[in-house]
mmCIF file of all heavy atoms in Angstrom:
data_model
loop_
_atom_site.group_PDB
_atom_site.id
_atom_site.type_symbol
_atom_site.label_atom_id
_atom_site.label_comp_id
_atom_site.label_asym_id
_atom_site.label_seq_id
_atom_site.Cartn_x
_atom_site.Cartn_y
_atom_site.Cartn_z
ATOM 1 N N SER M 136 87.901 137.340 31.823
ATOM 2 C CA SER M 136 87.154 136.146 31.617
ATOM 3 C C SER M 136 87.384 135.457 30.318
ATOM 4 O O SER M 136 87.532 134.161 30.265
ATOM 5 C CB SER M 136 85.616 136.457 31.774
ATOM 6 O OG SER M 136 85.262 137.004 32.992
ATOM 7 N N LYS M 137 87.497 136.180 29.324
ATOM 8 C CA LYS M 137 87.872 135.651 27.978
ATOM 9 C C LYS M 137 89.272 135.027 28.002
ATOM 10 O O LYS M 137 89.427 133.880 27.456
ATOM 11 C CB LYS M 137 87.832 136.788 26.940
ATOM 12 C CG LYS M 137 88.100 136.246 25.524
ATOM 13 C CD LYS M 137 87.954 137.441 24.506
ATOM 14 C CE LYS M 137 88.472 137.009 23.150
ATOM 15 N NZ LYS M 137 87.714 135.935 22.556
ATOM 16 N N GLU M 138 90.218 135.680 28.612
ATOM 17 C CA GLU M 138 91.565 135.115 28.626
ATOM 18 C C GLU M 138 91.598 133.797 29.470
ATOM 19 O O GLU M 138 92.324 132.903 29.181
ATOM 20 C CB GLU M 138 92.480 136.154 29.257
ATOM 21 C CG GLU M 138 92.947 137.294 28.312
ATOM 22 C CD GLU M 138 93.999 138.140 28.876
ATOM 23 O OE1 GLU M 138 94.327 137.964 30.056
ATOM 24 O OE2 GLU M 138 94.559 138.982 28.185
ATOM 25 N N PHE M 139 90.784 133.762 30.525
ATOM 26 C CA PHE M 139 90.683 132.521 31.320
ATOM 27 C C PHE M 139 90.186 131.377 30.564
ATOM 28 O O PHE M 139 90.787 130.291 30.534
ATOM 29 C CB PHE M 139 89.798 132.781 32.537
ATOM 30 C CG PHE M 139 89.639 131.570 33.422
ATOM 31 C CD1 PHE M 139 90.572 131.322 34.417
ATOM 32 C CD2 PHE M 139 88.539 130.752 33.318
ATOM 33 C CE1 PHE M 139 90.444 130.158 35.174
ATOM 34 C CE2 PHE M 139 88.354 129.652 34.168
ATOM 35 C CZ PHE M 139 89.377 129.349 35.041
ATOM 36 N N GLU M 140 89.158 131.597 29.772
ATOM 37 C CA GLU M 140 88.548 130.537 28.951
ATOM 38 C C GLU M 140 89.543 130.093 27.892
ATOM 39 O O GLU M 140 89.693 128.880 27.636
ATOM 40 C CB GLU M 140 87.240 130.989 28.298
ATOM 41 C CG GLU M 140 86.125 131.232 29.211
ATOM 42 C CD GLU M 140 85.655 129.949 29.953
ATOM 43 O OE1 GLU M 140 85.770 128.934 29.400
ATOM 44 O OE2 GLU M 140 85.224 130.065 31.088
ATOM 45 N N GLU M 141 90.202 131.002 27.272
ATOM 46 C CA GLU M 141 91.183 130.630 26.193
ATOM 47 C C GLU M 141 92.445 130.019 26.761
ATOM 48 O O GLU M 141 93.079 129.182 26.113
ATOM 49 C CB GLU M 141 91.572 131.932 25.387
ATOM 50 C CG GLU M 141 90.349 132.475 24.569
ATOM 51 C CD GLU M 141 90.733 133.733 23.837
ATOM 52 O OE1 GLU M 141 91.864 134.310 24.129
ATOM 53 O OE2 GLU M 141 90.020 134.182 22.963
ATOM 54 N N SER M 142 92.793 130.384 28.001
ATOM 55 C CA SER M 142 94.061 129.921 28.526
ATOM 56 C C SER M 142 93.954 128.465 29.071
ATOM 57 O O SER M 142 94.852 127.638 28.901
ATOM 58 C CB SER M 142 94.461 130.821 29.670
ATOM 59 O OG SER M 142 95.691 130.388 30.239
ATOM 60 N N VAL M 143 92.849 128.141 29.757
ATOM 61 C CA VAL M 143 92.747 126.862 30.403
ATOM 62 C C VAL M 143 91.712 125.948 29.773
ATOM 63 O O VAL M 143 91.635 124.734 30.184
ATOM 64 C CB VAL M 143 92.440 127.007 31.945
ATOM 65 C CG1 VAL M 143 93.478 127.897 32.608
ATOM 66 C CG2 VAL M 143 91.049 127.649 32.090
ATOM 67 N N GLY M 144 90.922 126.387 28.827
ATOM 68 C CA GLY M 144 89.957 125.586 28.147
ATOM 69 C C GLY M 144 88.919 124.976 29.136
ATOM 70 O O GLY M 144 88.499 125.575 30.050
ATOM 71 N N SER M 145 88.621 123.760 28.876
ATOM 72 C CA SER M 145 87.568 123.004 29.608
ATOM 73 C C SER M 145 88.010 122.650 31.003
ATOM 74 O O SER M 145 87.208 122.310 31.870
ATOM 75 C CB SER M 145 87.131 121.737 28.860
ATOM 76 O OG SER M 145 88.247 120.882 28.693
ATOM 77 N N SER M 146 89.334 122.706 31.295
ATOM 78 C CA SER M 146 89.797 122.293 32.665
ATOM 79 C C SER M 146 89.342 123.289 33.718
ATOM 80 O O SER M 146 89.168 122.915 34.882
ATOM 81 C CB SER M 146 91.340 122.245 32.658
ATOM 82 O OG SER M 146 91.940 123.580 32.598
ATOM 83 N N HIS M 147 89.200 124.540 33.384
ATOM 84 C CA HIS M 147 88.761 125.631 34.344
ATOM 85 C C HIS M 147 89.658 125.579 35.537
ATOM 86 O O HIS M 147 89.164 125.839 36.680
ATOM 87 C CB HIS M 147 87.282 125.419 34.729
ATOM 88 C CG HIS M 147 86.328 125.910 33.691
ATOM 89 N ND1 HIS M 147 86.145 125.269 32.503
ATOM 90 C CD2 HIS M 147 85.566 127.092 33.701
ATOM 91 C CE1 HIS M 147 85.251 125.968 31.784
ATOM 92 N NE2 HIS M 147 84.854 127.035 32.460
ATOM 93 N N SER M 148 90.917 125.294 35.370
ATOM 94 C CA SER M 148 91.907 125.285 36.500
ATOM 95 C C SER M 148 92.415 126.645 36.672
ATOM 96 O O SER M 148 93.153 127.217 35.897
ATOM 97 C CB SER M 148 93.013 124.287 36.163
ATOM 98 O OG SER M 148 94.111 124.445 37.129
ATOM 99 N N LYS M 149 92.110 127.233 37.911
ATOM 100 C CA LYS M 149 92.597 128.549 38.203
ATOM 101 C C LYS M 149 94.109 128.522 38.472
ATOM 102 O O LYS M 149 94.785 129.494 38.170
ATOM 103 C CB LYS M 149 91.856 129.153 39.406
ATOM 104 C CG LYS M 149 90.327 129.311 39.084
ATOM 105 C CD LYS M 149 89.546 129.869 40.279
ATOM 106 C CE LYS M 149 88.108 129.967 39.906
ATOM 107 N NZ LYS M 149 87.354 130.551 41.037
ATOM 108 N N ALA M 150 94.630 127.478 39.080
ATOM 109 C CA ALA M 150 96.046 127.271 39.302
ATOM 110 C C ALA M 150 96.808 127.354 37.923
ATOM 111 O O ALA M 150 97.811 127.997 37.830
ATOM 112 C CB ALA M 150 96.349 126.058 40.042
ATOM 113 N N LYS M 151 96.282 126.639 36.955
ATOM 114 C CA LYS M 151 96.906 126.634 35.644
ATOM 115 C C LYS M 151 96.884 128.016 34.967
ATOM 116 O O LYS M 151 97.810 128.441 34.341
ATOM 117 C CB LYS M 151 96.182 125.648 34.762
ATOM 118 C CG LYS M 151 96.744 125.452 33.322
ATOM 119 C CD LYS M 151 95.925 124.434 32.541
ATOM 120 C CE LYS M 151 96.443 124.309 31.104
ATOM 121 N NZ LYS M 151 95.598 123.326 30.299
ATOM 122 N N TYR M 152 95.779 128.730 35.185
ATOM 123 C CA TYR M 152 95.657 130.051 34.646
ATOM 124 C C TYR M 152 96.744 131.008 35.223
ATOM 125 O O TYR M 152 97.431 131.713 34.484
ATOM 126 C CB TYR M 152 94.260 130.613 34.916
ATOM 127 C CG TYR M 152 94.091 132.115 34.535
ATOM 128 C CD1 TYR M 152 93.893 132.446 33.181
ATOM 129 C CD2 TYR M 152 94.239 133.128 35.515
ATOM 130 C CE1 TYR M 152 93.783 133.818 32.887
ATOM 131 C CE2 TYR M 152 94.017 134.460 35.150
ATOM 132 C CZ TYR M 152 93.826 134.812 33.868
ATOM 133 O OH TYR M 152 93.764 136.087 33.523
ATOM 134 N N TYR M 153 96.814 131.035 36.569
ATOM 135 C CA TYR M 153 97.795 131.865 37.262
ATOM 136 C C TYR M 153 99.253 131.565 36.871
ATOM 137 O O TYR M 153 100.078 132.376 36.706
ATOM 138 C CB TYR M 153 97.642 131.854 38.757
ATOM 139 C CG TYR M 153 96.389 132.568 39.234
ATOM 140 C CD1 TYR M 153 95.410 131.973 39.997
ATOM 141 C CD2 TYR M 153 96.197 133.910 38.965
ATOM 142 C CE1 TYR M 153 94.283 132.612 40.450
ATOM 143 C CE2 TYR M 153 95.105 134.569 39.402
ATOM 144 C CZ TYR M 153 94.174 133.942 40.089
ATOM 145 O OH TYR M 153 93.027 134.661 40.557
ATOM 146 N N LEU M 154 99.506 130.185 36.689
ATOM 147 C CA LEU M 154 100.874 129.759 36.273
ATOM 148 C C LEU M 154 101.210 130.333 34.914
ATOM 149 O O LEU M 154 102.244 130.840 34.676
ATOM 150 C CB LEU M 154 100.932 128.242 36.279
ATOM 151 C CG LEU M 154 102.341 127.641 36.078
ATOM 152 C CD1 LEU M 154 103.196 128.024 37.290
ATOM 153 C CD2 LEU M 154 102.220 126.081 36.009
ATOM 154 N N LYS M 155 100.251 130.330 34.012
ATOM 155 C CA LYS M 155 100.426 130.824 32.657
ATOM 156 C C LYS M 155 100.621 132.384 32.663
ATOM 157 O O LYS M 155 101.314 132.913 31.848
ATOM 158 C CB LYS M 155 99.295 130.466 31.740
ATOM 159 C CG LYS M 155 99.389 129.082 31.269
ATOM 160 C CD LYS M 155 98.322 128.744 30.149
ATOM 161 C CE LYS M 155 98.519 127.315 29.506
ATOM 162 N NZ LYS M 155 97.683 127.211 28.380
ATOM 163 N N ARG M 156 99.880 133.003 33.618
ATOM 164 C CA ARG M 156 100.030 134.457 33.683
ATOM 165 C C ARG M 156 101.404 134.899 34.298
ATOM 166 O O ARG M 156 101.930 135.872 33.829
ATOM 167 C CB ARG M 156 98.888 135.056 34.575
ATOM 168 C CG ARG M 156 97.521 134.859 33.919
ATOM 169 C CD ARG M 156 97.280 135.665 32.769
ATOM 170 N NE ARG M 156 97.035 137.159 33.103
ATOM 171 C CZ ARG M 156 97.326 138.117 32.375
ATOM 172 N NH1 ARG M 156 98.079 138.031 31.254
ATOM 173 N NH2 ARG M 156 97.048 139.350 32.766
ATOM 174 N N VAL M 157 101.887 134.145 35.229
ATOM 175 C CA VAL M 157 103.184 134.464 35.771
ATOM 176 C C VAL M 157 104.334 134.073 34.874
ATOM 177 O O VAL M 157 105.328 134.786 34.732
ATOM 178 C CB VAL M 157 103.371 133.740 37.144
ATOM 179 C CG1 VAL M 157 104.744 134.090 37.694
ATOM 180 C CG2 VAL M 157 102.308 134.234 38.172
ATOM 181 N N PHE M 158 104.175 132.941 34.172
ATOM 182 C CA PHE M 158 105.186 132.407 33.242
ATOM 183 C C PHE M 158 104.622 132.259 31.875
ATOM 184 O O PHE M 158 104.484 131.126 31.375
ATOM 185 C CB PHE M 158 105.784 131.130 33.761
ATOM 186 C CG PHE M 158 106.403 131.184 35.104
ATOM 187 C CD1 PHE M 158 105.718 130.657 36.195
ATOM 188 C CD2 PHE M 158 107.630 131.825 35.321
ATOM 189 C CE1 PHE M 158 106.267 130.782 37.467
ATOM 190 C CE2 PHE M 158 108.221 131.860 36.570
ATOM 191 C CZ PHE M 158 107.607 131.369 37.640
ATOM 192 N N PRO M 159 104.245 133.380 31.184
ATOM 193 C CA PRO M 159 103.682 133.233 29.869
ATOM 194 C C PRO M 159 104.735 132.809 28.815
ATOM 195 O O PRO M 159 105.898 132.892 28.982
ATOM 196 C CB PRO M 159 103.263 134.678 29.527
ATOM 197 C CG PRO M 159 104.182 135.549 30.380
ATOM 198 C CD PRO M 159 104.441 134.766 31.622
ATOM 199 N N GLU M 160 104.180 132.140 27.798
ATOM 200 C CA GLU M 160 105.041 131.697 26.723
ATOM 201 C C GLU M 160 105.706 132.902 26.008
ATOM 202 O O GLU M 160 105.108 133.942 25.885
ATOM 203 C CB GLU M 160 104.260 130.809 25.705
ATOM 204 C CG GLU M 160 103.686 129.580 26.310
ATOM 205 C CD GLU M 160 102.826 128.796 25.261
ATOM 206 O OE1 GLU M 160 101.645 129.141 25.097
ATOM 207 O OE2 GLU M 160 103.430 127.903 24.560
ATOM 208 N N ARG M 161 106.961 132.633 25.488
ATOM 209 C CA ARG M 161 107.685 133.720 24.892
ATOM 210 C C ARG M 161 106.903 134.222 23.617
ATOM 211 O O ARG M 161 107.001 135.399 23.309
ATOM 212 C CB ARG M 161 109.083 133.253 24.527
ATOM 213 C CG ARG M 161 110.001 134.353 24.008
ATOM 214 C CD ARG M 161 111.478 133.891 24.137
ATOM 215 N NE ARG M 161 111.642 132.574 23.505
ATOM 216 C CZ ARG M 161 112.026 132.436 22.188
ATOM 217 N NH1 ARG M 161 112.235 133.513 21.419
ATOM 218 N NH2 ARG M 161 112.219 131.207 21.745
ATOM 219 N N LYS M 162 106.216 133.404 22.947
ATOM 220 C CA LYS M 162 105.512 133.763 21.712
ATOM 221 C C LYS M 162 104.452 134.795 21.982
ATOM 222 O O LYS M 162 104.008 135.460 21.047
ATOM 223 C CB LYS M 162 104.918 132.548 21.000
ATOM 224 C CG LYS M 162 103.824 131.868 21.749
ATOM 225 C CD LYS M 162 103.291 130.702 20.997
ATOM 226 C CE LYS M 162 102.138 129.971 21.774
ATOM 227 N NZ LYS M 162 101.672 128.772 20.982
ATOM 228 N N ARG M 163 104.029 134.875 23.235
ATOM 229 C CA ARG M 163 103.009 135.874 23.621
ATOM 230 C C ARG M 163 103.467 137.306 23.335
ATOM 231 O O ARG M 163 102.712 138.254 23.189
ATOM 232 C CB ARG M 163 102.623 135.701 25.086
ATOM 233 C CG ARG M 163 101.523 136.591 25.561
ATOM 234 C CD ARG M 163 101.326 136.469 27.076
ATOM 235 N NE ARG M 163 100.301 137.314 27.542
ATOM 236 C CZ ARG M 163 99.002 137.037 27.682
ATOM 237 N NH1 ARG M 163 98.517 135.851 27.347
ATOM 238 N NH2 ARG M 163 98.112 137.952 28.202
ATOM 239 N N PHE M 164 104.811 137.499 23.353
ATOM 240 C CA PHE M 164 105.384 138.801 23.266
ATOM 241 C C PHE M 164 105.908 139.089 21.782
ATOM 242 O O PHE M 164 106.711 140.064 21.625
ATOM 243 C CB PHE M 164 106.494 138.989 24.277
ATOM 244 C CG PHE M 164 106.081 138.816 25.703
ATOM 245 C CD1 PHE M 164 106.260 137.560 26.338
ATOM 246 C CD2 PHE M 164 105.411 139.790 26.355
ATOM 247 C CE1 PHE M 164 105.858 137.365 27.589
ATOM 248 C CE2 PHE M 164 104.981 139.649 27.640
ATOM 249 C CZ PHE M 164 105.176 138.444 28.303
ATOM 250 N N LYS M 165 105.554 138.326 20.865
ATOM 251 C CA LYS M 165 106.067 138.441 19.485
ATOM 252 C C LYS M 165 105.789 139.864 18.949
ATOM 253 O O LYS M 165 106.643 140.395 18.302
ATOM 254 C CB LYS M 165 105.314 137.480 18.595
ATOM 255 C CG LYS M 165 105.842 137.510 17.152
ATOM 256 C CD LYS M 165 105.214 136.348 16.311
ATOM 257 C CE LYS M 165 105.712 136.407 14.893
ATOM 258 N NZ LYS M 165 105.206 135.276 14.024
ATOM 259 N N TYR M 166 104.663 140.464 19.260
ATOM 260 C CA TYR M 166 104.318 141.790 18.713
ATOM 261 C C TYR M 166 104.419 142.850 19.805
ATOM 262 O O TYR M 166 104.846 143.978 19.527
ATOM 263 C CB TYR M 166 102.889 141.751 18.108
ATOM 264 C CG TYR M 166 102.734 140.694 17.058
ATOM 265 C CD1 TYR M 166 101.937 139.630 17.282
ATOM 266 C CD2 TYR M 166 103.483 140.812 15.860
ATOM 267 C CE1 TYR M 166 101.771 138.677 16.289
ATOM 268 C CE2 TYR M 166 103.300 139.811 14.906
ATOM 269 C CZ TYR M 166 102.475 138.729 15.096
ATOM 270 O OH TYR M 166 102.354 137.803 14.135
ATOM 271 N N SER M 167 104.071 142.543 21.074
ATOM 272 C CA SER M 167 104.095 143.580 22.072
ATOM 273 C C SER M 167 105.554 143.894 22.550
ATOM 274 O O SER M 167 105.821 145.011 22.988
ATOM 275 C CB SER M 167 103.294 143.116 23.299
ATOM 276 O OG SER M 167 103.813 141.924 23.902
ATOM 277 N N ASN M 168 106.417 142.899 22.444
ATOM 278 C CA ASN M 168 107.859 143.119 22.831
ATOM 279 C C ASN M 168 108.780 142.278 21.902
ATOM 280 O O ASN M 168 109.246 141.243 22.301
ATOM 281 C CB ASN M 168 108.049 142.800 24.292
ATOM 282 C CG ASN M 168 109.340 143.420 24.844
ATOM 283 O OD1 ASN M 168 110.353 143.568 24.147
ATOM 284 N ND2 ASN M 168 109.286 143.881 26.120
ATOM 285 N N PRO M 169 109.003 142.755 20.690
ATOM 286 C CA PRO M 169 109.748 141.936 19.725
ATOM 287 C C PRO M 169 111.142 141.577 20.120
ATOM 288 O O PRO M 169 111.682 140.529 19.826
ATOM 289 C CB PRO M 169 109.721 142.818 18.471
ATOM 290 C CG PRO M 169 108.551 143.717 18.576
ATOM 291 C CD PRO M 169 108.426 143.974 20.104
ATOM 292 N N PHE M 170 111.771 142.446 20.935
ATOM 293 C CA PHE M 170 113.143 142.249 21.371
ATOM 294 C C PHE M 170 113.216 141.015 22.245
ATOM 295 O O PHE M 170 114.042 140.079 22.080
ATOM 296 C CB PHE M 170 113.713 143.422 22.083
ATOM 297 C CG PHE M 170 115.099 143.252 22.551
ATOM 298 C CD1 PHE M 170 116.197 143.449 21.701
ATOM 299 C CD2 PHE M 170 115.434 142.896 23.845
ATOM 300 C CE1 PHE M 170 117.454 143.317 22.046
ATOM 301 C CE2 PHE M 170 116.731 142.756 24.289
ATOM 302 C CZ PHE M 170 117.759 142.925 23.403
ATOM 303 N N VAL M 171 112.280 140.865 23.183
ATOM 304 C CA VAL M 171 112.251 139.717 24.077
ATOM 305 C C VAL M 171 111.900 138.444 23.313
ATOM 306 O O VAL M 171 112.458 137.387 23.608
ATOM 307 C CB VAL M 171 111.220 139.987 25.209
ATOM 308 C CG1 VAL M 171 110.911 138.673 25.987
ATOM 309 C CG2 VAL M 171 111.643 141.076 26.104
ATOM 310 N N TYR M 172 111.034 138.590 22.338
ATOM 311 C CA TYR M 172 110.610 137.468 21.518
ATOM 312 C C TYR M 172 111.834 136.913 20.709
ATOM 313 O O TYR M 172 111.998 135.715 20.583
ATOM 314 C CB TYR M 172 109.502 137.811 20.597
ATOM 315 C CG TYR M 172 109.127 136.724 19.625
ATOM 316 C CD1 TYR M 172 108.424 135.624 20.032
ATOM 317 C CD2 TYR M 172 109.444 136.831 18.250
ATOM 318 C CE1 TYR M 172 108.111 134.599 19.148
ATOM 319 C CE2 TYR M 172 109.125 135.840 17.411
ATOM 320 C CZ TYR M 172 108.480 134.694 17.771
ATOM 321 O OH TYR M 172 108.135 133.705 16.889
ATOM 322 N N LYS M 173 112.591 137.781 20.170
ATOM 323 C CA LYS M 173 113.732 137.378 19.250
ATOM 324 C C LYS M 173 114.918 136.877 20.058
ATOM 325 O O LYS M 173 115.667 136.078 19.566
ATOM 326 C CB LYS M 173 114.118 138.594 18.401
ATOM 327 C CG LYS M 173 113.121 138.955 17.391
ATOM 328 C CD LYS M 173 113.551 140.213 16.603
ATOM 329 C CE LYS M 173 112.521 140.626 15.542
ATOM 330 N NZ LYS M 173 112.928 141.885 14.825
ATOM 331 N N HIS M 174 115.108 137.306 21.270
ATOM 332 C CA HIS M 174 116.344 136.995 22.063
ATOM 333 C C HIS M 174 115.951 136.060 23.218
ATOM 334 O O HIS M 174 115.562 136.503 24.287
ATOM 335 C CB HIS M 174 117.067 138.230 22.530
ATOM 336 C CG HIS M 174 117.505 139.137 21.379
ATOM 337 N ND1 HIS M 174 116.661 140.078 20.810
ATOM 338 C CD2 HIS M 174 118.697 139.175 20.739
ATOM 339 C CE1 HIS M 174 117.287 140.682 19.834
ATOM 340 N NE2 HIS M 174 118.575 140.196 19.764
ATOM 341 N N LYS M 175 116.134 134.784 23.005
ATOM 342 C CA LYS M 175 115.687 133.803 24.044
ATOM 343 C C LYS M 175 116.452 133.969 25.322
ATOM 344 O O LYS M 175 115.817 133.757 26.380
ATOM 345 C CB LYS M 175 115.999 132.464 23.431
ATOM 346 C CG LYS M 175 115.324 131.272 24.197
ATOM 347 C CD LYS M 175 115.558 129.975 23.493
ATOM 348 C CE LYS M 175 114.938 128.796 24.250
ATOM 349 N NZ LYS M 175 115.083 127.537 23.494
ATOM 350 N N ALA M 176 117.770 134.395 25.258
ATOM 351 C CA ALA M 176 118.509 134.464 26.498
ATOM 352 C C ALA M 176 118.023 135.604 27.390
ATOM 353 O O ALA M 176 118.170 135.602 28.670
ATOM 354 C CB ALA M 176 119.977 134.756 26.102
ATOM 355 N N VAL M 177 117.337 136.574 26.762
ATOM 356 C CA VAL M 177 116.804 137.690 27.514
ATOM 357 C C VAL M 177 115.565 137.359 28.283
ATOM 358 O O VAL M 177 115.240 138.001 29.349
ATOM 359 C CB VAL M 177 116.615 138.936 26.601
ATOM 360 C CG1 VAL M 177 115.932 140.112 27.307
ATOM 361 C CG2 VAL M 177 117.860 139.363 25.898
ATOM 362 N N TYR M 178 114.814 136.369 27.803
ATOM 363 C CA TYR M 178 113.511 136.098 28.302
ATOM 364 C C TYR M 178 113.451 135.827 29.794
ATOM 365 O O TYR M 178 112.597 136.443 30.518
ATOM 366 C CB TYR M 178 112.885 134.887 27.536
ATOM 367 C CG TYR M 178 111.501 134.597 27.897
ATOM 368 C CD1 TYR M 178 110.502 135.475 27.639
ATOM 369 C CD2 TYR M 178 111.115 133.360 28.345
ATOM 370 C CE1 TYR M 178 109.208 135.297 27.992
ATOM 371 C CE2 TYR M 178 109.765 133.120 28.669
ATOM 372 C CZ TYR M 178 108.829 134.012 28.483
ATOM 373 O OH TYR M 178 107.547 133.847 28.716
#
């Protein structure tokens, strides 16, 4: 629920949320997967 609010804000678009979950931004993995974050071609 918290991730939903932070991800889509006031739009409350569930389609937008699922799109972000399937195709998250590379910066999301800066700490959880540094290799993927550093190597754009691998993403």
Side-chain angles (χ1 to χ4, degrees):
S136 296
K137 180 179 173 60
E138 286 188 349
F139 179 81
E140 293 295 330
E141 292 178 349
S142 178
V143 302
S145 59
S146 72
H147 281 73
S148 169
K149 296 180 182 181
K151 182 179 178 182
Y152 172 80
Y153 286 123
L154 190 64
K155 284 191 172 186
R156 292 292 281 150
V157 176
F158 300 103
E160 295 178 274
R161 188 161 51 92
K162 66 181 181 181
R163 183 184 178 94
F164 301 99
K165 182 175 181 178
Y166 304 113
S167 62
N168 199 322
F170 181 81
V171 169
Y172 174 75
K173 291 178 182 178
H174 299 85
K175 191 174 181 179
V177 175
Y178 187 58

